[in-house]
């Protein structure tokens, strides 16, 4: 069975209106409709940079204890978390997994590492 949802932990975390931090989340693979539908959105037509906000709001299915994920929440992320989620989105949708291929600077060996932090 193909994995379609991937857990992540934000580097900084989303702060809600009560100063609660939400770091752990789940992103699902995007569909063709996820990438086509936002193009008709007036916010994207006015500012193409807004596309990523809508894509992330559509594909993040869980973030901490928040009841729902919407564009306002994505707009409120710290820049470092937005960059992290853009990279995560690309990796899971292009590679089908969240691992990174890295090279050891000591032995020059190449291997894949899981980027999801385990615990704190």
């Amino acid at each position: 069975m193909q994995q379609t949802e991937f857990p992540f932990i934000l580097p900084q975390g989303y702060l809600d209106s009560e100063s609660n931090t939400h770091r752990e989340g789940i992103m699902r693979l995007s569909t063709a409709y996820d990438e086509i539908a936002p193009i008709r959105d007036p916010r994207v037509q006015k500012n193409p940079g807004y596309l990523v906000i809508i894509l992330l709001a559509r594909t993040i299915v869980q973030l901490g204890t928040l009841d729902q994920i919407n564009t306002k929440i994505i707009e409120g992320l710290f820049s470092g978390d937005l960059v992290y989620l853009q990279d995560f989105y690309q990796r899971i949708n292009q590679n089908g997994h969240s691992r990174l291929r890295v090279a050891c600077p000591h032995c020059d060996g190449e291997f894949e590492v899981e980027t999801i932090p385990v615990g704190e």
Side-chain angles (χ1 to χ4, degrees):
M1 181 174 210
Q2 180 181 0
Q3 181 179 2
T4 60
E5 294 187 341
F6 299 85
F8 63 82
I9 299 178
L10 296 176
Q12 295 170 303
Y14 172 76
L15 290 178
D16 65 21
S17 60
E18 298 175 353
S19 297
N20 298 309
T21 304
H22 304 270
R23 294 185 63 209
E24 296 184 25
I26 297 173
M27 183 184 294
R28 66 169 173 76
L29 290 176
S30 68
T31 64
Y33 191 73
D34 288 326
E35 299 210 0
I36 293 170
I39 294 172
R40 289 181 271 167
D41 188 295
R43 296 170 293 184
V44 174
Q45 292 176 348
K46 186 175 178 180
N47 178 2
Y50 202 79
L51 176 64
V52 68
I53 301 296
I54 295 176
L55 281 173
L56 292 175
R58 292 178 66 97
T59 56
I60 295 174
V61 296
Q62 181 181 340
L63 182 58
T65 58
L66 297 172
D67 291 333
Q68 63 175 350
I69 309 300
N70 56 42
T71 55
K72 290 295 180 197
I73 289 173
I74 303 302
E75 289 173 358
L77 291 171
F78 292 111
S79 295
D81 288 337
L82 182 63
V83 170
Y84 170 84
L85 287 171
Q86 288 178 287
D87 178 64
F88 191 79
Y89 177 93
Q90 290 297 325
R91 277 187 279 130
I92 68 170
N93 284 289
Q94 290 179 357
N95 304 331
H97 58 76
S98 60
R99 297 182 300 274
L100 286 175
R101 185 148 191 87
V102 296
C104 174
H106 301 291
C107 70
D108 291 329
E110 292 188 0
F111 52 94
E112 290 185 340
V113 295
E114 188 61 55
T115 58
I116 300 169
V118 179
E120 290 288 305

